[in-house]
Coordinates of all heavy atoms in Angstrom, one line a residue:
G1 N 0.8 -1.2 0.0 CA 0.0 0.0 0.0 C 0.8 1.2 0.0 O 2.1 1.2 0.0
A2 N 0.2 2.4 0.0 CA 0.8 3.7 0.0 C 1.0 4.3 1.4 O 0.4 3.8 2.3 CB 0.0 4.6 -0.9
V3 N 1.9 5.3 1.4 CA 2.1 6.0 2.7 C 0.9 7.0 2.7 O 0.7 7.7 1.8 CB 3.4 6.8 2.6 CG1 3.5 7.6 3.9 CG2 4.6 5.9 2.5
P4 N 0.1 6.9 3.8 CA -1.2 7.7 3.8 C -0.8 9.2 3.9 O 0.0 9.6 4.8 CB -1.9 7.3 5.1 CG -1.2 5.9 5.5 CD 0.1 6.0 4.9
S5 N -1.4 10.0 3.1 CA -1.1 11.5 3.1 C -1.7 12.1 4.5 O -1.2 13.1 4.9 CB -1.8 12.2 2.0 OG -3.2 12.0 1.9
E6 N -2.6 11.4 5.1 CA -3.2 11.9 6.3 C -2.2 11.9 7.5 O -2.4 12.6 8.5 CB -4.4 11.0 6.8 CG -5.6 11.0 5.9 CD -5.5 10.2 4.6 OE1 -4.5 9.4 4.5 OE2 -6.4 10.3 3.7
L7 N -1.1 11.3 7.3 CA 0.0 11.4 8.3 C 0.5 12.8 8.5 O 1.0 13.2 9.5 CB 1.2 10.5 8.0 CG 0.9 9.0 8.1 CD1 2.1 8.2 7.5 CD2 0.7 8.5 9.5
G8 N 0.3 13.6 7.5 CA 0.6 15.0 7.5 C -0.1 15.8 8.6 O 0.2 17.0 8.9
H9 N -1.2 15.2 9.1 CA -2.0 15.9 10.2 C -1.5 15.7 11.6 O -1.9 16.3 12.5 CB -3.4 15.5 10.1 CG -4.1 15.8 8.8 ND1 -4.3 17.0 8.3 CD2 -4.6 15.0 7.8 CE1 -4.9 17.0 7.2 NE2 -5.0 15.7 6.8
L10 N -0.5 14.8 11.7 CA 0.0 14.4 13.1 C 1.1 15.4 13.5 O 2.3 15.1 13.5 CB 0.5 13.0 13.0 CG -0.4 11.9 12.6 CD1 0.2 10.6 12.5 CD2 -1.6 11.9 13.6
Q11 N 0.7 16.6 13.9 CA 1.6 17.7 14.1 C 2.7 17.5 15.2 O 3.7 18.1 15.2 CB 0.8 19.0 14.4 CG 0.0 19.5 13.3 CD 0.8 19.8 12.1 OE1 1.8 20.6 12.2 NE2 0.5 19.3 10.9
A12 N 2.4 16.6 16.2 CA 3.3 16.4 17.3 C 4.3 15.2 17.0 O 5.2 14.9 17.8 CB 2.6 16.1 18.6
L13 N 4.1 14.6 15.8 CA 4.9 13.4 15.5 C 6.4 13.8 15.4 O 6.7 14.7 14.7 CB 4.4 12.8 14.2 CG 5.0 11.4 13.8 CD1 4.4 10.4 14.8 CD2 4.5 11.0 12.4
E14 N 7.2 13.0 16.0 CA 8.7 13.3 16.0 C 9.4 12.2 15.2 O 10.5 12.5 14.6 CB 9.3 13.3 17.4 CG 8.7 14.5 18.2 CD 9.3 14.6 19.6 OE1 10.0 13.6 20.0 OE2 9.0 15.5 20.4
T15 N 8.9 11.0 15.1 CA 9.6 10.0 14.4 C 8.6 9.2 13.5 O 7.5 8.8 14.0 CB 10.2 8.9 15.3 OG1 11.2 9.6 16.1 CG2 10.9 7.8 14.6
L16 N 8.8 9.1 12.2 CA 8.0 8.3 11.3 C 9.0 7.3 10.7 O 9.8 7.6 9.9 CB 7.3 9.1 10.3 CG 6.5 8.4 9.2 CD1 5.4 7.6 9.9 CD2 5.9 9.4 8.2
S17 N 8.8 6.0 11.2 CA 9.7 4.9 10.7 C 8.9 3.9 10.1 O 8.2 3.1 10.8 CB 10.5 4.4 11.9 OG 11.3 3.4 11.5
L18 N 8.9 3.8 8.8 CA 8.1 2.8 8.0 C 9.0 2.1 7.0 O 8.6 1.6 6.0 CB 7.0 3.5 7.2 CG 5.9 4.2 8.0 CD1 5.0 5.1 7.2 CD2 5.1 3.2 8.8
Y19 N 10.2 1.9 7.4 CA 11.1 1.2 6.4 C 10.9 -0.3 6.3 O 10.3 -0.9 7.3 CB 12.6 1.5 6.8 CG 13.1 1.0 8.2 CD1 13.6 -0.3 8.3 CD2 13.0 1.8 9.3 CE1 14.0 -0.8 9.5 CE2 13.4 1.3 10.5 CZ 13.9 0.0 10.6 OH 14.3 -0.4 11.8
H20 N 11.2 -0.8 5.2 CA 11.1 -2.3 4.9 C 9.7 -2.8 5.0 O 9.4 -3.8 5.8 CB 12.0 -3.1 5.9 CG 12.7 -4.2 5.2 ND1 12.1 -5.0 4.3 CD2 14.0 -4.6 5.2 CE1 13.0 -5.9 3.8 NE2 14.1 -5.7 4.4
N21 N 8.7 -2.1 4.4 CA 7.3 -2.5 4.4 C 6.7 -2.7 3.1 O 5.4 -2.8 3.0 CB 6.5 -1.5 5.2 CG 6.6 -1.6 6.7 OD1 6.1 -2.6 7.2 ND2 7.3 -0.7 7.4
Q22 N 7.4 -2.7 2.0 CA 6.8 -2.9 0.7 C 5.8 -1.8 0.3 O 4.9 -2.1 -0.4 CB 6.2 -4.3 0.5 CG 7.2 -5.4 0.7 CD 6.6 -6.8 0.6 OE1 5.4 -7.0 0.5 NE2 7.4 -7.8 0.5
L23 N 6.0 -0.6 0.8 CA 5.2 0.5 0.5 C 5.4 0.9 -0.9 O 6.5 0.9 -1.4 CB 5.4 1.7 1.4 CG 5.1 1.4 2.9 CD1 5.7 2.6 3.8 CD2 3.6 1.2 3.1
T24 N 4.3 1.4 -1.6 CA 4.4 1.8 -3.0 C 3.8 3.2 -3.1 O 3.3 3.8 -2.2 CB 3.5 0.8 -3.9 OG1 2.2 0.8 -3.4 CG2 4.1 -0.6 -3.8
G25 N 4.0 3.8 -4.3 CA 3.5 5.1 -4.6 C 4.5 6.2 -4.2 O 5.7 5.8 -3.9
A26 N 4.0 7.4 -4.2 CA 4.9 8.5 -4.0 C 5.0 8.8 -2.5 O 4.2 8.4 -1.7 CB 4.3 9.7 -4.7
V27 N 6.1 9.5 -2.1 CA 6.2 10.1 -0.8 C 5.3 11.3 -0.7 O 5.4 12.2 -1.5 CB 7.7 10.5 -0.5 CG1 7.8 11.2 0.8 CG2 8.7 9.4 -0.7
P28 N 4.3 11.2 0.2 CA 3.3 12.3 0.2 C 3.9 13.7 0.6 O 4.7 13.8 1.5 CB 2.3 11.9 1.3 CG 2.6 10.5 1.5 CD 4.0 10.2 1.2
S29 N 3.6 14.7 -0.2 CA 4.1 16.0 0.0 C 3.6 16.6 1.4 O 4.2 17.4 2.0 CB 3.7 17.0 -1.1 OG 2.4 17.1 -1.3
E30 N 2.4 16.0 1.8 CA 1.9 16.4 3.1 C 2.8 16.2 4.3 O 2.6 16.8 5.3 CB 0.5 15.7 3.3 CG -0.6 16.1 2.4 CD -0.6 15.4 1.1 OE1 0.3 14.6 0.8 OE2 -1.5 15.7 0.3
L31 N 3.8 15.3 4.1 CA 4.7 15.0 5.2 C 5.5 16.3 5.5 O 6.1 16.4 6.6 CB 5.6 13.9 4.9 CG 4.9 12.5 4.7 CD1 6.0 11.4 4.4 CD2 4.1 12.1 6.0
G32 N 5.6 17.2 4.6 CA 6.3 18.5 4.8 C 5.6 19.4 5.8 O 6.2 20.4 6.2
K33 N 4.4 19.0 6.3 CA 3.7 19.8 7.3 C 4.1 19.4 8.8 O 3.6 20.0 9.7 CB 2.2 19.6 7.2 CG 1.7 20.1 5.8 CD 0.2 19.8 5.7 CE -0.3 20.2 4.4 NZ -1.8 19.8 4.2
L34 N 4.9 18.3 8.9 CA 5.2 17.8 10.2 C 6.3 18.5 10.9 O 7.5 18.1 10.9 CB 5.5 16.2 10.1 CG 4.4 15.4 9.5 CD1 4.8 14.0 9.3 CD2 3.2 15.4 10.5
Q35 N 6.0 19.7 11.4 CA 7.1 20.6 11.9 C 7.9 20.0 13.1 O 9.0 20.5 13.4 CB 6.4 21.9 12.3 CG 5.9 22.7 11.1 CD 7.0 23.0 10.1 OE1 8.0 23.5 10.4 NE2 6.7 22.5 8.9
S36 N 7.3 19.0 13.8 CA 8.1 18.4 14.9 C 8.9 17.2 14.5 O 9.6 16.7 15.4 CB 7.1 18.0 16.0 OG 6.4 19.1 16.5
L37 N 8.8 16.8 13.2 CA 9.5 15.6 12.8 C 11.0 15.7 12.9 O 11.6 16.6 12.3 CB 9.0 15.2 11.4 CG 9.2 13.8 10.9 CD1 8.4 12.8 11.8 CD2 8.9 13.6 9.5
E38 N 11.6 14.7 13.5 CA 13.0 14.7 13.6 C 13.6 13.5 12.8 O 14.8 13.6 12.3 CB 13.5 14.5 15.1 CG 13.1 15.7 16.0 CD 13.4 15.5 17.4 OE1 13.8 14.3 17.8 OE2 13.1 16.4 18.2
T39 N 12.9 12.5 12.6 CA 13.3 11.3 11.8 C 12.3 10.9 10.9 O 11.1 10.6 11.3 CB 13.7 10.1 12.8 OG1 14.7 10.5 13.7 CG2 14.1 8.9 12.0
L40 N 12.6 10.8 9.6 CA 11.7 10.3 8.5 C 12.5 9.2 7.9 O 13.5 9.3 7.2 CB 11.4 11.4 7.5 CG 10.5 10.9 6.3 CD1 9.2 10.3 6.8 CD2 10.2 12.1 5.4
A41 N 12.0 7.9 8.1 CA 12.7 6.7 7.6 C 11.7 5.9 6.8 O 10.8 5.3 7.3 CB 13.2 5.9 8.8
L42 N 11.9 6.0 5.5 CA 11.0 5.3 4.5 C 11.9 4.4 3.6 O 11.4 4.1 2.5 CB 10.2 6.3 3.7 CG 9.3 7.2 4.4 CD1 8.6 8.2 3.5 CD2 8.2 6.4 5.1
S43 N 13.0 4.0 4.1 CA 13.9 3.2 3.3 C 13.4 1.8 3.0 O 12.5 1.3 3.7 CB 15.3 3.2 3.9 OG 15.8 4.4 4.1
S44 N 14.0 1.2 2.0 CA 13.8 -0.2 1.7 C 12.3 -0.5 1.4 O 11.7 -1.5 2.0 CB 14.3 -1.1 2.8 OG 15.7 -1.0 2.9
N45 N 11.7 0.3 0.6 CA 10.3 0.1 0.2 C 10.3 0.1 -1.4 O 11.3 -0.1 -2.0 CB 9.4 1.2 0.7 CG 9.1 1.0 2.2 OD1 8.4 0.0 2.5 ND2 9.6 1.8 3.0
Q46 N 9.2 0.4 -2.0 CA 9.1 0.4 -3.4 C 8.5 1.8 -3.8 O 7.6 1.9 -4.7 CB 8.2 -0.7 -3.9 CG 8.9 -2.1 -3.6 CD 7.9 -3.2 -3.7 OE1 6.8 -3.1 -4.4 NE2 8.2 -4.3 -3.1
L47 N 8.9 2.8 -3.1 CA 8.4 4.2 -3.4 C 8.9 4.7 -4.7 O 10.0 4.5 -5.1 CB 8.7 5.1 -2.2 CG 8.2 4.7 -0.9 CD1 8.8 5.6 0.2 CD2 6.7 4.7 -0.9
T48 N 8.0 5.4 -5.4 CA 8.3 6.0 -6.7 C 8.1 7.5 -6.8 O 7.6 8.0 -5.8 CB 7.5 5.3 -7.8 OG1 6.1 5.5 -7.5 CG2 7.8 3.8 -7.9
G49 N 8.5 8.1 -7.9 CA 8.2 9.5 -8.0 C 9.4 10.3 -7.5 O 10.5 9.8 -7.1
A50 N 9.2 11.6 -7.4 CA 10.2 12.5 -6.9 C 10.3 12.6 -5.4 O 9.3 12.4 -4.7 CB 10.0 13.9 -7.5
V51 N 11.4 13.1 -4.9 CA 11.5 13.5 -3.5 C 10.8 14.8 -3.4 O 11.1 15.8 -4.0 CB 13.0 13.6 -3.0 CG1 13.0 14.1 -1.6 CG2 13.7 12.3 -3.2
P52 N 9.7 14.9 -2.5 CA 8.9 16.1 -2.5 C 9.8 17.3 -1.9 O 10.4 17.2 -0.9 CB 7.8 15.8 -1.5 CG 7.8 14.3 -1.3 CD 9.2 13.9 -1.7
S53 N 9.7 18.4 -2.6 CA 10.4 19.6 -2.2 C 9.9 20.1 -0.8 O 10.6 20.8 -0.1 CB 10.3 20.7 -3.3 OG 9.0 21.1 -3.5
E54 N 8.6 19.8 -0.5 CA 8.0 20.2 0.7 C 8.8 19.7 1.9 O 8.7 20.2 3.0 CB 6.6 19.7 0.8 CG 5.6 20.5 -0.1 CD 5.6 19.9 -1.6 OE1 6.4 19.0 -1.9 OE2 4.8 20.4 -2.4
L55 N 9.5 18.6 1.8 CA 10.3 18.1 2.9 C 11.4 19.1 3.4 O 11.8 19.0 4.5 CB 11.0 16.8 2.5 CG 10.1 15.6 2.2 CD1 10.9 14.3 1.9 CD2 9.1 15.3 3.3
G56 N 11.6 20.1 2.6 CA 12.5 21.2 2.9 C 11.9 22.1 4.0 O 12.6 22.9 4.5
H57 N 10.7 21.9 4.4 CA 10.0 22.7 5.4 C 10.2 22.1 6.8 O 9.8 22.7 7.8 CB 8.5 22.8 5.1 CG 8.2 23.5 3.8 ND1 7.0 23.3 3.1 CD2 8.9 24.4 3.0 CE1 7.1 24.0 2.0 NE2 8.2 24.7 2.0
L58 N 10.8 20.9 6.9 CA 10.9 20.2 8.1 C 12.1 20.7 8.9 O 13.1 20.0 9.0 CB 10.9 18.7 7.9 CG 9.8 18.1 7.1 CD1 10.0 16.6 6.8 CD2 8.5 18.3 7.9
Q59 N 12.0 21.8 9.6 CA 13.1 22.4 10.2 C 13.7 21.7 11.4 O 14.8 21.8 11.8 CB 12.7 23.8 10.7 CG 12.4 24.8 9.6 CD 13.6 24.9 8.7 OE1 14.8 25.2 9.1 NE2 13.4 24.7 7.4
A60 N 12.9 20.7 12.0 CA 13.4 19.9 13.1 C 14.0 18.6 12.6 O 14.7 17.9 13.4 CB 12.3 19.6 14.1
L61 N 14.0 18.4 11.3 CA 14.4 17.1 10.8 C 16.0 16.9 10.9 O 16.7 17.7 10.5 CB 14.1 16.9 9.3 CG 14.1 15.6 8.7 CD1 13.0 14.7 9.4 CD2 13.9 15.6 7.2
E62 N 16.3 15.8 11.6 CA 17.7 15.4 11.8 C 18.1 14.3 10.8 O 19.3 14.2 10.4 CB 18.0 15.0 13.2 CG 17.7 16.2 14.2 CD 17.8 15.7 15.6 OE1 18.0 14.5 15.9 OE2 17.7 16.6 16.5
T63 N 17.2 13.4 10.5 CA 17.5 12.2 9.7 C 16.5 12.0 8.6 O 15.3 11.9 8.9 CB 17.6 10.9 10.6 OG1 18.5 11.1 11.6 CG2 17.8 9.7 9.7
L64 N 16.9 12.0 7.4 CA 16.0 11.7 6.3 C 16.6 10.5 5.5 O 17.7 10.5 4.9 CB 16.0 12.9 5.3 CG 15.2 12.7 4.0 CD1 13.7 12.4 4.3 CD2 15.2 14.0 3.2
S65 N 15.9 9.4 5.6 CA 16.4 8.1 5.1 C 15.4 7.6 4.1 O 14.3 7.2 4.4 CB 16.5 7.1 6.2 OG 17.0 5.9 5.8
L66 N 15.7 7.7 2.8 CA 14.9 7.3 1.7 C 15.6 6.3 0.8 O 15.2 6.1 -0.3 CB 14.4 8.5 0.9 CG 13.6 9.5 1.6 CD1 13.4 10.8 0.7 CD2 12.3 9.0 2.1
Y67 N 16.7 5.7 1.3 CA 17.5 4.8 0.4 C 16.7 3.5 0.0 O 15.7 3.2 0.7 CB 18.8 4.5 1.0 CG 18.8 3.7 2.3 CD1 18.8 2.3 2.2 CD2 18.8 4.3 3.5 CE1 18.7 1.5 3.4 CE2 18.7 3.5 4.7 CZ 18.7 2.1 4.6 OH 18.6 1.4 5.7
H68 N 17.2 2.9 -1.0 CA 16.7 1.6 -1.5 C 15.2 1.7 -1.8 O 14.3 0.9 -1.3 CB 17.0 0.5 -0.5 CG 17.0 -0.9 -1.1 ND1 16.7 -1.1 -2.4 CD2 17.2 -2.1 -0.5 CE1 16.8 -2.4 -2.6 NE2 17.1 -3.0 -1.5
N69 N 14.8 2.6 -2.7 CA 13.5 2.8 -3.2 C 13.6 2.9 -4.7 O 14.6 2.5 -5.3 CB 12.7 4.0 -2.6 CG 12.2 3.7 -1.3 OD1 11.2 2.9 -1.1 ND2 12.7 4.3 -0.2
Q70 N 12.6 3.4 -5.4 CA 12.6 3.6 -6.8 C 12.4 5.1 -7.2 O 11.7 5.4 -8.1 CB 11.7 2.7 -7.5 CG 12.0 1.2 -7.3 CD 10.8 0.3 -7.6 OE1 9.9 0.7 -8.4 NE2 10.8 -0.9 -7.0
L71 N 12.9 6.0 -6.3 CA 12.7 7.4 -6.5 C 13.4 7.9 -7.7 O 14.5 7.5 -8.0 CB 13.1 8.1 -5.2 CG 12.3 7.7 -3.9 CD1 13.0 8.4 -2.7 CD2 10.9 8.1 -4.1
T72 N 12.8 8.9 -8.4 CA 13.4 9.4 -9.6 C 13.5 10.9 -9.5 O 12.9 11.6 -8.6 CB 12.5 9.0 -10.8 OG1 11.2 9.5 -10.6 CG2 12.5 7.5 -11.0
G73 N 14.1 11.5 -10.5 CA 14.2 13.0 -10.6 C 15.4 13.5 -9.8 O 16.3 12.7 -9.4
A74 N 15.5 14.8 -9.7 CA 16.6 15.5 -9.0 C 16.3 15.5 -7.5 O 15.2 15.5 -7.0 CB 16.8 16.9 -9.5
V75 N 17.4 15.6 -6.7 CA 17.3 15.9 -5.3 C 16.9 17.4 -5.2 O 17.6 18.3 -5.7 CB 18.7 15.7 -4.6 CG1 18.6 16.1 -3.1 CG2 19.1 14.2 -4.8
P76 N 15.8 17.7 -4.5 CA 15.4 19.1 -4.4 C 16.3 19.9 -3.6 O 16.8 19.6 -2.5 CB 14.0 19.0 -3.6 CG 13.8 17.6 -3.3 CD 14.9 16.7 -3.8
S77 N 16.6 21.1 -4.1 CA 17.5 22.1 -3.5 C 17.0 22.5 -2.1 O 17.7 22.9 -1.2 CB 17.8 23.2 -4.4 OG 16.6 23.9 -4.7
E78 N 15.6 22.4 -2.0 CA 15.0 22.8 -0.7 C 15.5 22.0 0.5 O 15.4 22.5 1.6 CB 13.4 22.7 -0.8 CG 12.8 23.7 -1.7 CD 12.8 23.3 -3.2 OE1 13.4 22.3 -3.6 OE2 12.2 24.0 -4.0
L79 N 16.0 20.9 0.3 CA 16.6 20.1 1.4 C 17.8 20.8 2.0 O 18.1 20.5 3.2 CB 17.0 18.7 0.9 CG 15.9 17.8 0.4 CD1 16.4 16.4 0.1 CD2 14.7 17.7 1.4
G80 N 18.4 21.7 1.3 CA 19.5 22.5 1.8 C 19.0 23.5 2.9 O 19.9 24.0 3.6
K81 N 17.7 23.7 3.1 CA 17.2 24.6 4.1 C 17.1 23.8 5.5 O 16.8 24.5 6.5 CB 15.8 25.1 3.7 CG 15.8 25.9 2.5 CD 14.3 26.2 2.1 CE 14.3 27.0 0.8 NZ 12.9 27.2 0.4
L82 N 17.4 22.5 5.5 CA 17.2 21.8 6.7 C 18.4 22.0 7.6 O 19.4 21.2 7.6 CB 17.0 20.3 6.4 CG 15.8 20.0 5.5 CD1 15.8 18.5 5.1 CD2 14.5 20.4 6.3
Q83 N 18.3 23.0 8.5 CA 19.5 23.3 9.3 C 19.8 22.3 10.3 O 21.0 22.2 10.8 CB 19.2 24.7 10.0 CG 19.0 25.8 9.1 CD 20.3 26.1 8.3 OE1 21.3 26.2 8.8 NE2 20.1 26.3 7.0
S84 N 18.9 21.5 10.7 CA 19.1 20.4 11.8 C 19.5 19.1 11.2 O 19.8 18.2 11.9 CB 17.9 20.2 12.6 OG 17.5 21.4 13.3
L85 N 19.5 19.0 9.9 CA 19.8 17.7 9.2 C 21.2 17.2 9.5 O 22.1 17.9 9.2 CB 19.6 17.8 7.7 CG 19.5 16.5 6.9 CD1 18.3 15.7 7.3 CD2 19.5 16.8 5.4
E86 N 21.3 16.0 10.0 CA 22.6 15.4 10.3 C 22.8 14.2 9.3 O 24.0 13.9 9.0 CB 22.6 14.9 11.7 CG 22.5 16.0 12.7 CD 22.4 15.5 14.1 OE1 22.4 14.3 14.4 OE2 22.3 16.4 15.0
T87 N 21.8 13.5 8.9 CA 21.9 12.3 8.1 C 20.9 12.4 6.9 O 19.7 12.5 7.1 CB 21.6 11.0 8.9 OG1 22.5 10.9 10.0 CG2 21.8 9.8 8.0
L88 N 21.5 12.2 5.7 CA 20.7 12.2 4.5 C 21.1 11.0 3.7 O 22.2 10.9 3.3 CB 21.0 13.5 3.6 CG 20.3 13.6 2.3 CD1 18.7 13.5 2.4 CD2 20.7 14.8 1.5
A89 N 20.2 10.0 3.6 CA 20.5 8.7 2.9 C 19.5 8.6 1.8 O 18.3 8.3 1.9 CB 20.3 7.6 3.9
L90 N 20.1 8.7 0.6 CA 19.3 8.6 -0.7 C 19.8 7.6 -1.7 O 19.3 7.6 -2.8 CB 19.3 10.0 -1.4 CG 18.6 11.2 -0.6 CD1 18.9 12.5 -1.3 CD2 17.2 10.9 -0.3
S91 N 20.7 6.8 -1.3 CA 21.4 5.8 -2.2 C 20.4 4.8 -2.7 O 19.3 4.6 -2.1 CB 22.6 5.2 -1.5 OG 22.2 4.4 -0.4
S92 N 20.8 4.1 -3.7 CA 20.0 3.0 -4.3 C 18.6 3.4 -4.7 O 17.6 2.8 -4.4 CB 19.9 1.8 -3.3 OG 21.2 1.3 -3.1
N93 N 18.5 4.5 -5.4 CA 17.3 5.0 -6.1 C 17.7 5.3 -7.6 O 18.8 4.9 -8.0 CB 16.8 6.3 -5.4 CG 16.1 6.0 -4.2 OD1 15.0 5.5 -4.2 ND2 16.7 6.4 -3.0
Q94 N 16.8 5.9 -8.3 CA 17.2 6.3 -9.7 C 17.2 7.8 -9.8 O 16.7 8.4 -10.8 CB 16.1 5.7 -10.7 CG 16.3 4.2 -10.9 CD 15.2 3.4 -10.3 OE1 14.0 3.8 -10.4 NE2 15.5 2.3 -9.7
L95 N 17.8 8.5 -8.8 CA 17.8 9.9 -8.8 C 18.8 10.4 -9.9 O 19.8 9.7 -10.2 CB 18.2 10.4 -7.5 CG 17.3 10.1 -6.3 CD1 17.9 10.4 -5.0 CD2 15.9 10.8 -6.5
T96 N 18.5 11.6 -10.5 CA 19.4 12.1 -11.5 C 19.9 13.5 -11.2 O 19.4 14.1 -10.3 CB 18.5 12.2 -12.8 OG1 17.4 13.0 -12.6 CG2 18.1 10.8 -13.3
G97 N 20.9 13.9 -11.9 CA 21.4 15.3 -11.7 C 22.4 15.3 -10.6 O 22.7 14.3 -9.9
A98 N 23.0 16.4 -10.4 CA 24.0 16.6 -9.3 C 23.3 16.9 -8.0 O 22.2 17.3 -7.9 CB 24.9 17.8 -9.7
V99 N 24.1 16.6 -7.0 CA 23.7 17.0 -5.6 C 23.6 18.5 -5.5 O 24.6 19.2 -5.9 CB 24.6 16.4 -4.5 CG1 24.2 16.9 -3.2 CG2 24.6 14.9 -4.6
P100 N 22.5 19.1 -5.1 CA 22.4 20.5 -5.0 C 23.5 21.2 -4.2 O 23.9 20.6 -3.1 CB 21.0 20.8 -4.4 CG 20.3 19.5 -4.6 CD 21.3 18.4 -4.6
S101 N 24.0 22.3 -4.6 CA 25.1 22.9 -3.9 C 24.6 23.4 -2.5 O 25.5 23.5 -1.6 CB 25.6 24.2 -4.7 OG 24.5 25.1 -4.9
E102 N 23.3 23.5 -2.3 CA 22.8 23.9 -1.0 C 23.1 22.9 0.1 O 23.0 23.1 1.2 CB 21.3 24.2 -1.1 CG 20.9 25.4 -1.9 CD 20.8 25.1 -3.4 OE1 21.1 24.0 -3.9 OE2 20.4 26.0 -4.2
L103 N 23.3 21.6 -0.4 CA 23.6 20.6 0.6 C 25.1 20.5 0.8 O 25.6 19.9 1.7 CB 23.1 19.2 0.1 CG 21.6 19.1 0.0 CD1 21.1 17.8 -0.7 CD2 21.0 19.1 1.4

């Protein structure tokens, strides 16, 4: 199944860990509304589409783990706005282009 976009309503959520669950579809842009989120782990699924630029709004985010999916497109430059980001794991996808200079 897909990652429910309704998760974007969980404003107090600090950790969203759904790795290794055979999830399909896109990463919901609504996750960019989770202002308290510190860890977003969606690795080792079958997610497709682009990395949502809205994830650049997650100012508390320390870990973004999206490796081992089927994500495509460029890494959004908006991720460079994540001042608290310590870990960015995007390997084993089909991402294209250079890593944005903002990172």
Side-chain angles (χ1 to χ4, degrees):
V3 178
S5 60
E6 292 82 6
L7 291 173
H9 299 295
L10 303 175
Q11 294 299 308
L13 193 67
E14 294 180 356
T15 300
L16 179 58
S17 181
L18 295 172
Y19 62 90
H20 220 318
N21 276 294
Q22 299 179 349
L23 296 170
T24 58
V27 176
S29 60
E30 290 84 356
L31 297 182
K33 299 177 184 175
L34 299 174
Q35 293 302 305
S36 299
L37 198 65
E38 296 175 355
T39 300
L40 178 57
L42 299 175
S43 299
S44 297
N45 284 293
Q46 297 162 21
L47 299 173
T48 56
V51 176
S53 61
E54 290 84 354
L55 297 183
H57 300 154
L58 301 175
Q59 292 304 305
L61 197 66
E62 297 174 357
T63 301
L64 177 57
S65 182
L66 299 174
Y67 67 87
H68 202 0
N69 279 292
Q70 298 164 22
L71 299 172
T72 56
V75 176
S77 61
E78 289 83 356
L79 297 184
K81 299 177 185 175
L82 300 174
Q83 298 296 315
S84 300
L85 193 66
E86 297 173 0
T87 303
L88 176 62
L90 299 173
S91 62
S92 297
N93 282 289
Q94 286 113 39
L95 298 171
T96 56
V99 175
S101 59
E102 292 84 357
L103 293 172

